[in-house]
Amino acid sequence: MKRIVNVVALGVIITVGLATYAVSGTEKETDWSLQVESNKKVWENRIVQVAKDSMDQPYTHINVTLNGSTPSNKGSYFKQLLDFQANFGEDSRSFKRALKQLDYAQRIWTTDGEMAIGQKDRDTLVLLKSKDGKEVDVTEFKQAREILESGWKGFYVYDGKVHLLYDQNYETTNHHVATFDESTKTFVTQKIDRSKTLIGGVVGAEWSWYPSAYQGQVATDNRYIPIRATALETLQEDTGEEYTSEMDLPGLFVYDAKENKVVTVNQSEELKGTLFKDQEYRAIRSDGTELIIDLNSLEQTTRQVIQGAVGSITYIDQLVYHVLPKKEGAMLEVYDEGEMVSRASIKAEGDSGQTSNQPVHYYVY
Amino acid sequence: MIEVLGVKKRYRNKQVIEDVSFTANKGEITCLIGLNGTGKSTILKGIMGLTPFDQGNVLIDGKPIDLNTVAFVPDHSTFPIHFSIEQCEAFMRDFYPKFDPKLFARLVDEFKLFPEDKLRELSKGTLAKVNLALGIAQDPDYLLLDEPFSGIDVFSKEQIVELFSSDIMEDRGVLITTHEIDDIEYLVDKAVMLNRGRIVREFDVEDVRFIHGKSIVDVMREEYGA
Amino acid sequence: MIIQFNTRSPVYIQVVDYFKKKMALGELKAGEEMPSRRELATELKINPNTVQKAFKEMEEQQLITTERNRPSRVTTDDHVLKRIRTELVDEAVAVFVESIQELDVTMDELVSKIKRQYGEGNLDDRGTGS
Amino acid sequence: MNVLKLISWELDRVKKSYLILVGILLLLQFGWLGAFLWRQNATYEEMRLEGMTGYTVSFINYIGSTIFTLSVGVAIVAMIFFSVWIWYRDFQGRGMFMMRLLTIPTGRMELFVAKFVTVMMLILGLFAIQWMALFLQYQLFSAWLNAKMIPLQGSFERAIQFDYLAMMYPESGFNFLVHQVLIAFVVLALFTFVLVERGLWQRTLWSPFLAICVVSGLIALPTFLIIYFDRYLFMDEQIGLFGLALIGMVFGLTLLSRRFLSKKMSV
């Protein structure tokens, strides 16, 4: 049985190899920790991503959560599976499954349930409505080729009906709106007279894959619908050749569903973050104040939210998440309706020296 | 007893074995005779389970084959040619529980073999003897030999024939295939003749000599019109 | 011990005849031990079963006797030995006669030839028991 | 116990060519590392003479080089070839060793398991040797650059996340297991192909083609199912379906192999 020595020899090579891999292979990434001083609940399924875009290294980011940090979204497939299931939103799985089968779908979250609109085939447009995420009523609109072959700018509910803004055969200045009548399964389209300010897209209603946490729950009877506005600008290539491109306009804009025209609310300011919620259109300005616009009367009210320096703002689950980078890590705050509800901080443990020379960005998901 | 019952086998478009049934008893030397290419080897390989029969059944002592009790010596060595005889023996010892090293040593001595020789260096006759030794050393109840004498030198032939009449082969069932009968005319108890995929004759050799005064070669001449 | 086997008559009978001749010629004395079955098979290079059959045949013809697991022995019964001898002679004569008949030789001519042939033959191998 | 003995015999027979393969791979890699460093040194000197600064070298440049990729490619192709050759080798020549193997008085599946484990161990062996070699190469790499004062960028850990190499350096043990299962699946598919072919080769000239059809058919069906349901399922359900399909295929392939090995194999 002296041949058994071959098995032993190969076995030894494999074990030594595995040891080398174990020692050298794994990532010695610096660990980051998220310390929450108050109200842990708002951080439960939040991820603070520390992104180090360093020149030579492939782009890496570290996801920091309440229970530790993992390098980018890697980690074992099993953990990735658990993460996926954790923030999938299990209860609206059937709505999401119906949504998944539509192409170029868009989705909004209204006070009476989730809605989505998408393309089923070359000729059919489908409207999905679901109050609880489980039962899904599907309405199909035939002969919708005209709408399907055009750029969708987002949809909204007004006067009990679903409306879709779209650019006829992708001409950015050729805005149209389609109004769908579910009972008769028909729709009417109407041209919107052209204005210099163009419709970029309905806030929070442009894509279906957009994490739903970023969508506010909107009312179904707002007259004014918050939109992203754009304008055409002619630019010159260095070769002297001219081309036009659509540029985002700073400021707040709404679409008058009654008169079918774009209304500019205020144009000047640099805004930190916006949210279309219920019957309000909210924005945080660089001075830390929150501007609230009533979407029926267009009345504006403001309130001071963030004292002192303002970092970056993200509206998540209709709360304001404020991140202010510091020398070491970053300070995090959460506001609900203008009141601070939680304070936390994130910093690197151990040798943070490695991170000092690289520019670091913080994003809250 | 080895019972071959109604076996059929087709190779691609040729029906090699039409319908073959015969028996080979324990303690007897049975010779399966047939001209070249009439499926003799296929039948042996079929009995060993090395080639599936399309139809039919093989029973050994009433049961499906038990590889512990049956040894097969094909007409060519089954070990890689870079193996030495020692390596072959080591392999046999590793995987054949009933392999008897003492018996093998005796055969090696009787055949005057040199264990360290590589199969590559051996003559066809010596190679045949090694194969035979490896087969017999398994101390099987049944021994299947495929053309043990074809193309080997006279002296090796003699040594092998001598072996068959020795005690080593006593009360084992031996099934030999050959197309040249004269080497073993006096060794065979029973002859089974194969022609065009069928068994045409199955007879006790001494009875035929006693009753018809015919040797096996005579019967072959009648059957194959050689 | 070399037997020239022929392939057409049963081998075991040729072995029996061989031993009969030896007994008749006195090469195998009465009561003498026979070679063992295995030795014989190896020496004659024939199938051990055939040797076994030959021994059984000889036992039936009371040429040999075998007590339990002791080597067989030539019979000591003179009658048997005599009978073998006459059997062999008759057989030889029968073969001789059969081959001569075709040549239609007269009886007298035949007798005188045999006398002369047999006389000379007699001179050199003396002393076989009559 | 028999399987272990069979494995040792299989390894014994493949030892020579395996060592040659490993020799070639190491020679290729270390030889190339030498050349690579030598060239870096030359270009760095040149840059310095022309007064250009900011020239840095990263281990990724070495790993990404064609020669290194070639060596890994050679290893992969060699292993795929060997998964088939470990069977066909026993059918070579008139004296088929397969005849001997098939008359061993133990179950034929022990032979299947032995050859399977042998191939997997050889693959793991190559992995192991590559881990050690790469680690060593990095030490040489950084030592040489430091000696020559050429700025080195990026760590070893960062470098091994370089696209296909991530397969060799999975982040966790679980991922490593998943990779090995997938490799094992490929080996199983190759084994099944061989066994089906060897079961049919005396029956029809088309046996290789038929074998490919059978095996790819058995694999295609679940794959088609996965693709078809892709529209309707989410990541967790897809993984579940994939796992189920994999188990089904493994089961199917093993059963097919067993049937052909024990009933249909023809020598």
Side-chain angles (χ1 to χ4, degrees):
Chain A
M1 249 346 275
K2 58 179 175 38
R3 272 165 200 75
I4 203 103
V5 88
N6 305 321
V7 184
V8 171
L10 191 52
V12 163
I13 293 174
I14 290 174
T15 9
V16 172
L18 275 171
T20 338
Y21 150 67
V23 162
S24 62
T26 42
E27 180 74 66
K28 280 201 273 325
E29 195 52 56
T30 48
D31 279 346
W32 288 74
S33 69
L34 169 65
Q35 279 108 16
V36 178
E37 282 137 27
S38 54
N39 188 352
K40 264 197 179 356
K41 219 176 96 20
V42 291
W43 293 99
E44 241 145 39
N45 35 29
R46 286 284 73 77
I47 299 172
V48 180
Q49 192 171 77
V50 179
K52 293 184 288 180
D53 55 351
S54 33
M55 254 281 296
D56 68 327
Q57 308 289 26
Y59 176 79
T60 60
H61 51 254
I62 303 154
N63 295 347
V64 188
T65 63
L66 279 181
N67 37 35
S69 73
T70 51
S72 60
N73 55 7
K74 293 203 190 97
S76 83
Y77 301 137
F78 191 65
K79 201 176 122 345
Q80 281 174 30
L81 177 64
L82 295 182
D83 290 353
F84 171 83
Q85 277 183 330
N87 42 44
F88 174 73
E90 192 53 39
D91 42 22
S92 66
R93 184 176 281 265
S94 31
F95 175 76
K96 289 192 171 85
R97 200 187 305 283
L99 181 58
K100 186 169 187 331
Q101 285 144 63
L102 301 181
D103 299 335
Y104 315 111
Q106 296 188 348
R107 177 192 63 193
I108 56 173
W109 175 31
T110 70
T111 41
D112 56 4
E114 291 199 64
M115 296 185 196
I117 195 164
Q119 175 174 354
K120 183 167 178 225
D121 52 38
R122 297 176 65 80
D123 189 45
T124 328
L125 186 140
V126 170
L127 173 64
L128 302 177
K129 279 191 172 175
S130 165
K131 290 234 171 353
D132 58 1
K134 292 199 173 31
E135 289 114 34
V136 183
D137 11 333
V138 182
T139 331
E140 290 192 0
F141 298 87
K142 295 293 180 195
Q143 286 103 28
R145 181 179 296 276
E146 179 213 337
I147 302 179
L148 295 178
E149 271 149 24
S150 48
W152 294 4
K153 292 293 171 181
F155 76 109
Y156 57 90
V157 181
Y158 173 65
D159 185 18
K161 286 205 181 63
V162 169
H163 301 260
L164 173 64
L165 292 167
Y166 63 94
D167 295 348
Q168 184 102 49
N169 38 43
Y170 299 100
E171 291 149 12
T172 48
T173 55
N174 187 2
H175 288 332
H176 275 70
V177 64
T179 312
F180 297 90
D181 182 338
E182 290 163 66
S183 46
T184 63
K185 285 200 170 65
T186 57
F187 59 89
V188 278
T189 64
Q190 180 197 342
K191 180 161 178 43
I192 305 166
D193 45 23
R194 189 187 151 134
S195 80
K196 214 170 90 32
T197 342
L198 303 169
I199 303 169
V202 173
V203 171
E206 288 176 76
W207 314 109
S208 68
W209 44 263
Y210 212 52
S212 48
Y214 297 124
Q215 284 176 320
Q217 186 167 26
V218 298
T220 52
D221 53 4
N222 295 328
R223 176 174 172 198
Y224 295 99
I225 307 298
I227 56 164
R228 207 168 35 79
T230 59
L232 282 184
E233 276 178 29
T234 52
L235 292 168
Q236 273 225 322
E237 268 288 347
D238 31 30
T239 57
E241 178 215 344
E242 270 185 11
Y243 69 95
T244 59
S245 93
E246 205 180 342
M247 303 300 287
D248 273 357
L249 293 175
L252 293 171
F253 301 85
V254 287
Y255 174 75
D256 181 345
K258 197 158 175 304
E259 308 296 335
N260 283 324
K261 62 180 173 51
V262 176
V263 172
T264 312
V265 175
N266 80 41
Q267 210 161 6
S268 58
E269 286 176 49
E270 179 54 40
L271 298 169
K272 287 284 178 182
T274 60
L275 173 69
F276 172 18
K277 176 187 183 222
D278 205 0
Q279 292 175 326
E280 293 164 350
Y281 187 21
R282 302 180 175 193
I284 303 280
R285 292 192 288 221
S286 48
D287 60 4
T289 56
E290 184 174 37
L291 175 67
I292 301 169
I293 306 158
D294 179 294
L295 288 173
N296 280 309
S297 62
L298 282 186
E299 267 167 35
Q300 299 184 14
T301 54
T302 60
R303 62 186 176 204
Q304 186 64 41
V305 173
I306 300 170
Q307 323 299 349
V310 177
S312 61
I313 300 288
T314 337
Y315 276 102
I316 308 172
D317 284 346
Q318 309 177 102
L319 304 173
V320 174
Y321 281 76
H322 172 225
V323 178
L324 189 62
K326 284 273 185 287
K327 201 166 48 48
E328 286 287 325
M331 194 264 299
L332 310 163
E333 288 162 352
V334 183
Y335 297 88
D336 183 4
E337 301 301 338
E339 298 305 325
M340 178 188 305
V341 290
S342 163
R343 179 193 288 278
S345 68
I346 182 163
K347 75 179 170 7
E349 275 155 28
D351 64 345
S352 61
Q354 200 208 6
T355 57
S356 56
N357 52 22
Q358 288 156 325
V360 179
H361 307 282
Y362 302 93
Y363 305 101
V364 180
Y365 289 106
Chain B
M1 166 153 74
I2 300 178
E3 288 165 288
V4 175
L5 311 161
V7 297
K8 291 185 170 52
K9 171 83 180 174
R10 161 189 289 274
Y11 271 130
R12 299 209 175 105
N13 39 34
K14 201 151 63 76
Q15 185 72 26
V16 174
I17 299 173
E18 212 72 44
D19 175 11
V20 163
S21 301
F22 66 91
T23 61
N25 304 322
K26 192 162 190 301
E28 269 184 16
I29 297 180
T30 308
C31 178
L32 181 60
I33 304 166
L35 299 184
N36 263 346
T38 49
K40 302 193 296 296
S41 304
T42 313
I43 292 176
L44 288 196
K45 282 195 274 188
I47 295 172
M48 291 301 292
L50 292 173
T51 309
F53 285 131
D54 302 339
Q55 249 180 2
N57 197 358
V58 175
L59 291 178
I60 294 176
D61 296 341
K63 304 197 297 308
I65 185 166
D66 165 9
L67 289 172
N68 277 308
T69 60
V70 185
F72 175 51
V73 181
D75 61 357
H76 40 263
S77 155
T78 55
F79 280 102
I81 44 170
H82 60 274
F83 268 37
S84 68
I85 296 179
E86 273 161 345
Q87 274 174 304
C88 298
E89 186 196 355
F91 185 92
M92 298 299 285
R93 257 221 282 275
D94 272 357
F95 297 109
Y96 291 82
K98 278 182 71 187
F99 184 80
D100 174 0
K102 282 199 303 311
L103 181 50
F104 184 69
R106 181 175 159 203
L107 290 165
V108 164
D109 164 46
E110 216 161 284
F111 285 151
K112 298 186 194 59
L113 302 170
F114 301 98
E116 59 291 350
D117 285 356
K118 291 252 188 291
L119 299 185
R120 196 190 351 252
E121 298 146 7
L122 303 179
S123 71
K124 201 159 187 310
T126 324
L127 207 55
K129 285 185 271 185
V130 170
N131 269 341
L132 192 57
L134 291 171
I136 296 169
Q138 290 170 46
D139 192 13
D141 298 345
Y142 295 95
L143 188 61
L144 273 58
L145 303 172
D146 194 357
E147 305 276 358
F149 302 113
S150 73
I152 64 173
D153 59 280
V154 172
F155 302 108
S156 309
K157 237 181 236 178
E158 251 170 40
Q159 279 177 315
I160 294 175
V161 164
E162 229 161 80
L163 188 71
F164 276 103
S165 41
S166 74
D167 62 309
I168 292 178
M169 298 304 281
E170 218 156 299
D171 60 47
R172 295 189 207 283
V174 176
L175 177 59
I176 300 180
T177 67
T178 183
H179 57 281
E180 309 145 340
I181 195 63
D182 29 38
D183 308 322
I184 49 169
E185 178 83 41
Y186 307 115
L187 289 175
V188 174
D189 289 303
K190 180 177 174 188
V192 175
M193 296 176 86
L194 188 65
N195 196 2
R196 277 193 296 285
R198 285 180 188 287
I199 297 295
V200 289
R201 291 285 180 85
E202 184 170 355
F203 56 91
D204 180 298
V205 177
E206 289 284 82
D207 292 352
V208 161
R209 288 193 186 113
F210 188 75
I211 303 156
H212 306 293
K214 285 204 200 94
S215 68
I216 304 177
V217 176
D218 300 334
V219 180
M220 280 172 71
R221 201 164 287 119
E222 281 169 28
E223 208 37 63
Y224 301 123
Chain C
M1 183 189 293
I2 324 130
I3 303 179
Q4 278 305 354
F5 289 112
N6 78 59
T7 59
R8 289 213 172 78
S9 54
V11 176
Y12 79 96
I13 290 184
Q14 294 179 55
V15 171
V16 169
D17 290 350
Y18 170 79
F19 278 102
K20 271 187 188 168
K21 188 180 287 161
K22 288 194 81 175
M23 289 174 197
L25 297 174
E27 279 162 22
L28 260 178
K29 303 280 180 298
E32 198 181 329
E33 226 175 66
M34 294 282 283
S36 79
R37 289 165 177 69
R38 187 169 305 138
E39 271 159 26
L40 201 56
T42 318
E43 217 172 305
L44 300 179
K45 294 196 191 62
I46 55 171
N47 190 322
N49 296 343
T50 316
V51 172
Q52 178 66 16
K53 225 171 168 183
F55 272 68
K56 206 148 83 17
E57 180 67 17
M58 284 192 271
E59 268 155 20
E60 270 157 27
Q61 296 181 19
Q62 284 113 33
L63 302 177
I64 56 170
T65 56
T66 320
E67 284 99 22
R68 272 185 36 69
N69 60 45
R70 288 194 58 260
S72 316
R73 288 182 173 285
V74 178
T75 178
T76 48
D77 175 342
D78 270 355
H79 292 300
V80 169
L81 291 172
K82 276 205 179 53
R83 199 186 80 241
I84 304 168
R85 204 172 168 296
T86 47
E87 220 176 78
L88 282 181
V89 169
D90 297 348
E91 214 175 280
V93 166
V95 166
F96 170 70
V97 164
E98 198 183 303
S99 52
I100 283 299
Q101 250 159 0
E102 291 136 20
L103 310 171
D104 83 8
V105 176
T106 64
M107 182 55 87
D108 309 345
E109 197 187 341
L110 194 57
V111 168
S112 61
K113 273 202 177 13
I114 292 171
K115 269 207 189 79
R116 206 177 327 100
Q117 185 76 10
Y118 196 66
E120 283 149 19
N122 228 339
L123 291 178
D124 45 36
D125 66 355
R126 181 78 44 236
T128 50
S130 60
Chain D
M1 189 41 201
N2 245 337
V3 174
L4 193 58
K5 282 192 239 168
L6 278 170
I7 292 173
S8 6
W9 275 91
E10 290 286 349
L11 286 179
D12 195 48
R13 289 168 66 202
V14 82
K15 197 161 52 177
K16 207 146 64 61
S17 29
Y18 189 65
L19 291 178
I20 293 169
L21 172 70
V22 169
I24 293 170
L25 292 179
L26 293 181
L27 208 67
L28 209 59
Q29 287 186 3
F30 281 94
W32 166 244
L33 179 64
F36 175 83
L37 290 177
W38 190 261
R39 223 160 49 137
Q40 290 301 338
N41 196 18
T43 33
Y44 181 69
E45 286 310 321
E46 230 175 78
M47 302 280 276
R48 221 152 49 73
L49 292 178
E50 284 150 19
M52 308 247 275
T53 57
Y55 178 83
T56 60
V57 181
S58 154
F59 197 47
I60 289 180
N61 309 92
Y62 164 69
I63 289 181
S65 63
T66 40
I67 302 261
F68 183 84
T69 326
L70 176 74
S71 74
V72 175
V74 162
I76 292 171
V77 167
M79 275 303 122
I80 290 175
F81 170 74
F82 185 68
S83 311
V84 175
W85 177 245
I86 191 171
W87 286 99
Y88 277 110
R89 173 178 60 175
D90 298 335
F91 282 86
Q92 292 315 307
R94 270 180 55 71
M96 287 188 198
F97 191 48
M98 184 49 80
M99 256 191 218
R100 175 61 55 198
L101 292 175
L102 293 181
T103 53
I104 293 177
T106 61
R108 287 190 181 171
M109 277 315 274
E110 286 191 2
L111 181 65
F112 181 88
V113 169
K115 284 190 187 282
F116 189 79
V117 169
T118 307
V119 172
M120 288 310 291
M121 276 181 78
L122 290 175
I123 292 173
L124 261 178
L126 282 189
F127 265 95
I129 289 164
Q130 185 61 69
W131 284 324
M132 292 187 265
L134 211 53
F135 186 71
L136 211 60
Q137 281 158 22
Y138 183 72
Q139 309 310 336
L140 286 174
F141 179 84
S142 41
W144 170 275
L145 290 184
N146 294 346
K148 294 284 189 249
M149 273 92 73
I150 303 171
L152 158 69
Q153 211 173 7
S155 71
F156 179 76
E157 288 74 24
R158 181 75 69 250
I160 48 173
Q161 278 152 17
F162 177 75
D163 61 55
Y164 68 83
L165 221 51
M167 167 87 172
M168 255 181 59
Y169 285 91
E171 287 85 34
S172 76
F174 182 80
N175 293 15
F176 179 70
L177 274 182
V178 169
H179 296 167
Q180 292 308 321
V181 163
L182 293 178
I183 291 173
F185 175 72
V186 171
V187 173
L188 178 61
L190 289 169
F191 270 33
T192 311
F193 158 72
V194 172
L195 290 175
V196 169
E197 197 275 331
R198 285 292 93 178
L200 299 174
W201 70 295
Q202 286 174 340
R203 203 173 294 263
T204 137
L205 275 174
W206 297 99
S207 55
F209 175 71
L210 275 175
I212 289 176
C213 292
V214 165
V215 172
S216 42
L218 199 120
I219 291 174
L221 190 64
T223 322
F224 173 72
L225 267 179
I226 293 173
I227 293 166
Y228 174 74
F229 278 110
D230 185 67
R231 271 176 83 76
Y232 303 99
L233 298 180
F234 292 96
M235 193 255 248
D236 49 2
E237 293 155 340
Q238 281 170 348
I239 288 182
L241 181 64
F242 176 74
L244 220 60
L246 193 66
I247 292 167
M249 283 193 278
V250 164
F251 201 62
L253 287 174
T254 318
L255 270 186
L256 201 60
S257 303
R258 200 162 67 99
R259 174 148 180 72
F260 269 87
L261 181 54
S262 18
K263 298 278 182 308
K264 296 250 189 283
M265 175 62 73
S266 183
V267 170

